[in-house]
Amino acid sequence: MRIIALIFLVLTGLAALPAAADESTSFQVSPVFDLRVRQEILDGVYHFAPDPYRNWVRIRSRLGAEAGSGAHDFKLLLTNEHRHFIGPGEQVFDWDELILDQAWWRWAINPESKLTLGRQNVIWDRGFLMLEGHPLDGSRSIYHNAARLQAPLGRGGLDLSVIYNPKRDPLVLARDKDLPLTDADETAVAARWTRGAGKWSAIWKNETDPDGVLPHLQVLTLGGRRDWGVGDAGELLAELALQYQHEDTDGYAFALQASYADDLGKKWRGRGGYFHYSGASGDLKTFRTPWGRWPKWSELYIYTLIGESTPGRIHVAAWENICGPHAQVSRTLGKLFDLRLTAYWLLAPQTDWTTRGALTQTELKFRIIPQLDGHLLWEMLVPGAFHDGRGGLPPLTD
């Protein structure tokens, strides 16, 4: 009912705005449409399933409109993503569900403050703690149902969100209304204060599984991040998150990332870094990222993590008990192309820093016209001892 009330507010405001606008305020509506077509070929990645080869095309279409008048803006966006299966075997074509992706009203209270209500995206930086609202449906959508205030505070800026994400979406417009979006019903308050190069955050999150499979979980995550400029082109990043988890047994967890980037001559740019998500050991628990379960480090390796799932909880893109130093070089090729080469050495801190393997990536991004871009991504994992039949799973050898 909370979500329905939010969406009703957005649609009512959009319908009433022209009548409320005075003669000096213009009302503008702009259509929104985009289409994303992506092919994924996974060979030997689902090592815990019988068939090692999978090949499908994912087609996501979105259609909607943005509207604005004076200090008020609105957005309504419908989304569908379906897959055409090439292998394994014959698959029945399925258009999948039609969802309400975005439905929000934004009020510019003053030039420095704004309030956004409804179904919206909430992203902090590149998503270490805050990006997607529901990871279990892949990359179809990343919305939160939220009330978000962005305003000055002291000598910095405040970003405050109150969030409610149900396990299943009551506003699916067609087809699969029982598709799980999250592990449980989520209620949260997320706050971030930014001053200069420093960012300090606190996220309290409550998870209650309506199916009664997972235990009730409360998590408090405190984070700090700082970005520095070094010399003419150097960039240094350090981010740390400390976490307290209240479940059947209480415990603590942590996650961190650090990197340094700089130019390598006139054409190349290099980056080196390290990330770490704690695993379970005594009072130390596996880190439960609030909303950072997405292919931040790899689009390939997230699928191998499904094999580490626990009853009622699918671990796809759940960055837990994993760390890795990494190195990257990139450059622009003319006006149309960008090239990136990255290598990771992945480990499992618990137990005994077992090697997960060496992961390499080659990505070519291209821009044909402003309205059309894309990329080609190739990833390969050379498995380590962690995947050698661990926990009764078939060994990962490809």
Side-chain angles (χ1 to χ4, degrees):
M1 293 300 296
R2 302 179 193 179
I3 304 175
I4 295 175
L6 285 174
I7 303 308
F8 178 78
L9 174 63
V10 172
L11 297 180
T12 301
L14 182 58
L17 187 55
D22 59 36
E23 296 180 356
S24 62
T25 303
S26 62
F27 178 71
Q28 299 179 345
V29 178
S30 301
V32 176
F33 173 76
D34 67 70
L35 179 68
R36 184 183 69 184
V37 179
R38 179 172 59 174
Q39 183 175 11
E40 296 178 333
I41 302 173
L42 308 177
D43 190 1
V45 177
Y46 279 46
H47 61 108
F48 43 84
D51 197 315
Y53 176 78
R54 282 165 172 76
N55 185 351
W56 54 63
V57 178
R58 301 173 63 168
I59 302 173
R60 186 189 72 182
S61 55
R62 300 192 295 190
L63 175 66
E66 294 183 358
S69 178
H72 302 275
D73 293 294
F74 303 83
K75 186 171 184 179
L76 183 66
L77 188 66
L78 304 181
T79 296
N80 168 267
E81 182 181 84
H82 62 277
R83 300 189 185 191
H84 175 64
F85 288 87
I86 301 173
E90 293 293 331
Q91 299 279 348
V92 177
F93 183 78
D94 187 354
W95 281 101
D96 205 43
E97 74 281 341
L98 178 66
I99 67 164
L100 189 63
D101 188 345
Q102 302 281 296
W104 50 256
W105 161 62
R106 177 173 296 148
W107 173 34
I109 303 171
N110 57 52
E112 298 180 326
S113 304
K114 57 185 176 181
L115 174 67
T116 308
L117 300 178
R119 184 163 286 189
Q120 59 188 285
N121 295 340
V122 181
I123 301 173
W124 292 351
D125 299 310
R126 289 186 51 80
F128 188 66
L129 295 179
M130 175 72 73
L131 191 139
E132 87 295 332
H134 43 282
L136 300 188
D137 64 350
S139 59
R140 178 197 66 182
S141 179
I142 62 172
Y143 65 77
H144 290 274
N145 302 296
R148 184 183 189 186
L149 175 66
Q150 296 164 278
L153 179 64
R155 299 172 66 181
L158 175 68
D159 188 341
L160 175 65
S161 296
V162 179
I163 297 169
Y164 174 68
N165 296 329
K167 185 173 183 177
R168 295 176 179 86
D169 183 7
L171 293 178
V172 173
L173 303 179
R175 299 302 299 273
D176 192 354
K177 298 183 179 181
D178 296 322
L179 178 68
L181 305 179
T182 65
D183 297 319
D185 291 346
E186 303 174 335
T187 305
V189 178
R192 169 174 270 199
W193 183 60
T194 301
R195 180 182 175 186
K199 299 174 183 179
W200 310 95
S201 61
I203 302 173
W204 174 83
K205 185 179 180 184
N206 181 80
E207 298 185 18
T208 303
D209 185 2
D211 300 325
V213 177
L214 296 174
H216 182 207
L217 174 66
Q218 295 186 58
V219 178
L220 175 64
T221 305
L222 303 178
R225 174 188 172 107
R226 186 173 177 84
D227 297 88
W228 294 269
V230 181
D232 294 332
E235 296 176 334
L236 179 63
L237 158 68
E239 185 165 6
L240 173 65
L242 303 177
Q243 190 173 83
Y244 170 70
Q245 300 178 15
H246 175 66
E247 201 174 20
D248 291 338
T249 59
D250 296 353
Y252 299 87
F254 73 92
L256 62 89
Q257 65 166 335
S259 66
Y260 177 72
D262 209 337
D263 289 342
L264 302 175
K266 295 182 179 180
K267 297 182 178 181
W268 291 89
R269 186 166 180 82
R271 179 181 295 273
Y274 177 79
F275 67 85
H276 189 120
Y277 298 84
S278 65
S281 176
D283 290 336
L284 185 66
K285 305 187 71 128
T286 56
F287 185 79
R288 298 284 291 272
T289 177
W291 289 287
R293 283 172 58 175
W294 65 288
K296 177 176 177 59
W297 307 110
S298 168
E299 293 194 29
L300 167 73
Y301 199 74
I302 62 172
Y303 293 106
T304 72
L305 298 175
I306 298 175
E308 301 175 39
S309 298
T310 54
R313 184 165 179 261
I314 300 176
H315 282 225
V316 60
W319 302 107
E320 302 172 359
N321 189 29
I322 185 171
C323 65
H326 51 92
Q328 173 184 300
V329 292
S330 60
R331 64 169 295 179
T332 298
L333 303 174
K335 296 181 179 180
L336 299 179
F337 300 97
D338 293 310
L339 176 66
R340 174 180 66 87
L341 307 172
T342 308
Y344 297 89
W345 182 247
L346 301 177
L347 304 130
Q350 303 300 330
T351 57
D352 300 327
W353 297 84
T354 309
T355 303
R356 287 178 175 267
L359 176 69
T360 55
Q361 302 169 340
T362 302
E363 182 180 35
L364 180 66
K365 294 183 178 180
F366 54 88
R367 300 169 300 279
I368 299 177
I369 57 176
Q371 295 80 16
L372 179 62
D373 60 33
H375 71 212
L376 296 172
L377 176 64
W378 176 84
E379 297 194 40
M380 184 181 74
L381 175 71
V382 179
F386 184 85
H387 294 289
D388 188 14
R390 174 184 170 89
L393 295 174
L396 179 56
T397 58
D398 295 330

